[in-house]
Amino acid sequence: MKWEIVMGLEVHAELSTKTKIFCGCSTEFGGEPNTHVCPGCAGMPGTLPKFNRQVLEYAVRLGLTLGCDIAKRCTFDRKNYYYPDLPKAYQVSQLYAPICRNGGLTIVGEWGEKFIRLHQIHMEEDAGKLVHSAGNVTLMDFNRGSTPLLEIVSEPDFRSAAEVIAYLEKLRETLMYLDVCDCKMQEGSLRADVNLSVRPAGEEKLGVRVEMKNINSFKAIARAIAYESERQIDVIESGGTLIQETRRWDDDKGESYGMRSKANAADYRYFPDPDLPPIVLGDDELARIRATLPEMADKKRERYIADGVSAKVAASITAHKNVSDLFEDIVRHSGNTKESANLISGEVMRLLKGDDADIEQLDVQDGQLGRKLGELVKLVADGKINRNAYKEVVGVVFADDGIEPMRYIEEKGLLMVEDSGAAREAVAAILKDNESAVEDYRAGKQKAFGFLMGQAMKKLGGTASPDVIKSTLTEMLEG
Ligand code: ZN
Ligand code: MN
């Protein structure tokens, strides 16, 4: 029998707001345990939540970009469950009237183009973190508690692990370009739950679904999907019964195990949060947010290609938002798109070792690196410095942000000699030091010219172009 895998995704994105969703505590990652905590986010009785409107703005930015219907009025609900990382014993979330419904995104791959539909996007708060340590001790850190999240819920439209990965990559790119989430999977800012079931090919009815929670890398997601779909097919084919449950994926062991039987919405006893009034979004505010939407990666790629950048290089530049910001800074200061693209895909990638983590660390916020590299691109394109000097100064500027390229170039004498005065001086000295070669040349030995040329090049250290040296040398030998 042929089986079809059916999957839906619930992605949690931690928003990069400075403060939490219902209080003024910092959302910064890490920190001493329980230092980013107040009575509100620690769930103390008698405290009241105050909604951080930036969260709404971020949700609307994502919703507009993904073509969702934006609710003019949305509400918060309490999702009740008890777990030690949730001191209130309920999570504030949205069930009945979420901020975004519908919409979706297109993924491209071996299947061609495919539209993945979204069910909804809602705002909610994160839970704290349990730290299991030696001696059977579990500690609680509430720093992460009440960090704002967007939960992006898809329809069950995925049929393969490759489609899931393509979707997550596209979603990550979108969140990064919108500047609403840093998407560091290793820090848990982007977490995916996969709901998976199998059914005989051609069957309409969905099978029993299993939820796999918080898998923390794209590679692990692909492995977990392969494992879980095979496990379900085995159970059915051997006459067993699947149960609806939540399973944890152990990437080290390469297997999943059951955590708990999966609760349905009714089990959470959702009800409207009486402490939070409905959120009303005015037309003017919606228009204002729409006007702040940045250019997205695929639009940038199209624009770069139209400006003469190859499709491959354009894709590598836009793969990281900070790299495309850097590229645009360089172009702005150099006025030279092609040379700027070559710099990014060549020397810059070499310096960053093409490593994703290193690339993500690159901070280009203040625009200074782009300005300096732009100046260098202009200098090399105008023939003011040669390629070797260019490479050297690019490396120096990268390694030390205190270096001003022009000052460095002047100090090191890397500027090309424009008038032939300096070249004449150098050539005169060479001719004086190599009288026998000069005589050889005048006696008709062409080889001697090459030798003298080499000496002059060496002496000028690449600061004069070979053309200038050649014409100066010829003129002085003949003259
Ligand atoms: Zn707080
Ligand atoms: Mn959630």
Side-chain angles (χ1 to χ4, degrees):
M1 170 146 18
K2 250 187 96 50
W3 295 91
E4 182 179 50
I5 307 171
V6 178
M7 289 171 285
L9 251 62
E10 290 166 17
V11 175
H12 287 90
E14 261 182 11
L15 299 183
S16 43
T17 54
K18 290 265 177 292
T19 55
K20 294 184 177 180
I21 184 169
F22 299 122
C23 65
C25 293
S26 166
T27 55
E28 203 185 318
F29 177 76
E32 283 293 299
N34 299 308
T35 51
H36 304 161
V37 179
C38 69
C41 57
M44 297 292 169
T47 57
L48 286 171
K50 183 173 185 296
F51 180 57
N52 175 355
R53 218 167 162 87
Q54 185 99 55
V55 176
L56 176 74
E57 172 147 356
Y58 284 10
V60 172
R61 289 180 119 193
L62 182 64
L64 286 172
T65 305
L66 297 179
C68 302
D69 302 324
I70 312 288
K72 293 288 175 58
R73 181 182 182 280
C74 66
T75 52
F76 283 109
D77 305 298
R78 290 185 180 181
K79 180 182 183 180
N80 298 280
Y81 66 97
Y82 175 72
Y83 202 63
D85 62 8
L86 190 72
K88 293 193 296 261
Y90 62 84
Q91 177 193 30
V92 179
S93 181
Q94 298 193 291
L95 177 75
Y96 300 113
I99 178 68
C100 304
R101 282 210 165 101
N102 304 319
L105 60 85
T106 301
I107 53 170
V108 185
E110 61 201 7
W111 51 83
E113 284 192 357
K114 178 170 178 177
F115 187 72
I116 303 293
R117 296 167 302 150
L118 292 184
H119 181 71
Q120 69 177 50
I121 300 174
H122 59 261
M123 304 180 280
E124 61 183 28
E125 59 182 337
D126 210 344
K129 221 182 248 175
L130 296 182
V131 183
H132 304 285
S133 54
N136 231 355
V137 171
T138 295
L139 302 165
M140 285 179 285
D141 177 5
F142 294 116
N143 281 356
R144 197 182 67 178
S146 273
T147 294
L149 296 174
L150 291 182
E151 180 172 336
I152 303 136
V153 184
S154 84
E155 295 291 351
D157 286 352
F158 301 96
R159 297 293 176 269
S160 70
E163 289 179 4
V164 168
I165 306 293
Y167 169 86
L168 289 171
E169 281 174 347
K170 189 78 200 256
L171 193 56
R172 179 170 70 169
E173 180 184 275
T174 306
L175 290 162
M176 302 263 293
Y177 272 79
L178 288 172
D179 256 334
V180 299
C181 170
D182 66 18
C183 296
K184 291 181 181 160
M185 288 189 88
Q186 69 281 11
E187 291 182 5
S189 344
L190 192 68
R191 315 194 285 267
D193 304 342
V194 182
N195 286 296
L196 186 151
S197 63
V198 296
R199 63 184 174 191
E203 170 77 53
E204 289 256 334
K205 208 172 146 260
L206 290 167
V208 174
R209 100 188 122 97
V210 161
E211 182 180 24
M212 295 184 287
K213 285 198 94 63
N214 294 342
I215 318 174
N216 61 7
S217 79
F218 287 179
K219 247 191 218 142
I221 287 170
R223 276 155 54 88
I225 289 171
Y227 174 91
E228 179 58 20
S229 53
E230 274 169 36
R231 190 191 68 85
Q232 291 189 15
I233 293 167
D234 281 352
V235 169
I236 301 170
E237 286 185 339
S238 61
T241 316
L242 287 166
I243 49 162
Q244 186 178 324
E245 62 180 337
T246 298
R247 296 181 72 87
R248 170 167 289 153
W249 171 250
D250 185 330
D251 201 45
D252 295 327
K253 294 207 178 95
E255 57 190 52
S256 68
Y257 54 94
M259 283 165 72
R260 55 174 186 258
S261 64
K262 168 75 176 159
N264 279 314
D267 298 321
Y268 290 115
R269 297 296 191 274
Y270 277 97
F271 66 86
D273 192 312
D275 288 339
L276 285 154
I279 310 290
V280 177
L281 181 66
D283 285 333
D284 47 344
E285 190 172 11
L286 191 60
R288 182 187 60 75
I289 297 172
R290 194 187 292 277
T292 67
L293 289 182
E295 184 182 38
M296 301 303 289
D298 31 15
K299 282 276 169 312
K300 282 190 194 288
R301 273 191 291 276
E302 278 171 31
R303 184 161 59 79
Y304 297 169
I305 291 167
D307 285 346
V309 178
S310 76
K312 195 173 157 224
V313 171
S316 84
I317 292 172
T318 54
H320 297 273
K321 179 168 185 290
N322 55 349
V323 174
S324 83
D325 287 345
L326 178 65
F327 170 67
E328 294 187 11
D329 287 342
I330 298 173
V331 172
R332 197 171 317 114
H333 285 94
S334 67
N336 189 327
T337 307
K338 228 172 165 161
E339 192 73 58
S340 303
N342 289 341
L343 174 61
I344 295 273
S345 64
E347 203 54 18
V348 168
M349 282 302 150
R350 200 185 63 75
L351 287 163
L352 293 169
K353 300 180 198 78
D355 182 78
D356 271 357
D358 282 357
I359 294 171
E360 275 159 25
Q361 294 302 320
L362 182 69
D363 184 3
V364 301
Q365 288 281 328
D366 65 1
Q368 287 304 308
L369 183 60
R371 195 247 317 147
K372 291 174 183 176
L373 295 179
E375 287 175 9
L376 287 168
V377 165
K378 198 166 174 351
L379 288 169
V380 77
D382 292 348
K384 300 256 169 68
I385 54 175
N386 70 18
R387 292 273 155 193
N388 287 337
Y390 175 58
K391 256 194 182 169
E392 176 189 332
V393 189
V394 168
V396 167
V397 162
F398 240 85
D400 180 352
D401 57 16
I403 299 275
E404 271 304 319
M406 202 55 212
R407 203 184 318 136
Y408 182 88
I409 287 167
E410 280 170 357
E411 275 169 17
K412 298 268 167 180
L414 296 173
L415 267 190
M416 296 290 266
V417 177
E418 272 177 89
D419 66 297
S420 57
R424 290 186 75 88
E425 215 172 280
V427 168
I430 296 292
L431 296 185
K432 197 169 156 237
D433 290 349
N434 296 280
E435 278 174 1
S436 65
V438 173
E439 276 163 28
D440 284 352
Y441 175 80
R442 288 185 176 140
K445 285 192 186 157
Q446 275 301 315
K447 255 174 95 179
F449 186 84
F451 170 76
L452 291 166
M453 180 77 191
Q455 294 299 307
M457 296 266 285
K458 209 190 268 172
K459 183 156 184 104
L460 283 158
T463 58
S465 73
D467 284 349
V468 169
I469 299 175
K470 194 173 172 190
S471 63
T472 310
L473 187 58
T474 310
E475 186 195 313
M476 291 178 71
L477 279 169
E478 310 280 304

